[in-house]
Amino acid sequence: MSTTAQLSQEVAAAGDDAARQIAAAESLEGLEQLRIAYLGKDGVLTRFMKQLGGLSKEEKPAFGQVVNAAKNAAQAALDARKAELASSGKVAIA
């Protein structure tokens, strides 16, 4: 298996893990911790983006798209869960 294919599988697994954890979050504080863990400066998905520098010119675009898709999906899930929590009356939107 190529390095890019393996990394892409790892990104997909991290994205799936993020989605599961986000869906299970019970508070805004929990969501913020997940945002930092996955999308923050040293987050799981951010670290994958930093690996782009080690890939060949040909591999970068495809892998970049995979990572960006995972990051965008995680952000959308965070936003949706935040709205769900707010509409349930459990929390106030900051």
Side-chain angles (χ1 to χ4, degrees), residues 17-51:
D17 188 43
R20 276 191 299 278
Q21 290 187 39
I22 291 165
E26 295 292 329
S27 68
L28 287 178
E29 294 81 15
L31 282 177
E32 180 61 11
Q33 289 178 0
L34 290 170
R35 184 194 67 77
I36 292 168
Y38 285 97
L39 301 173
K41 181 179 172 186
D42 293 319
V44 173
L45 296 174
T46 304
R47 285 192 303 254
F48 282 114
M49 193 59 100
K50 292 177 182 178
Q51 292 181 12

Side-chain angles (χ1 to χ4, degrees), residues 3 7 49-57 59-60:
T3 300
L7 286 173
M49 193 59 100
K50 292 177 182 178
Q51 292 181 12
L52 277 171
L55 298 177
S56 72
K57 179 179 169 183
E59 293 174 313
K60 286 179 183 181

Side-chain angles (χ1 to χ4, degrees), residues 71-82:
K71 287 177 72 173
N72 290 340
Q75 186 62 57
L78 283 164
D79 293 343
R81 185 63 180 145
K82 184 176 182 178

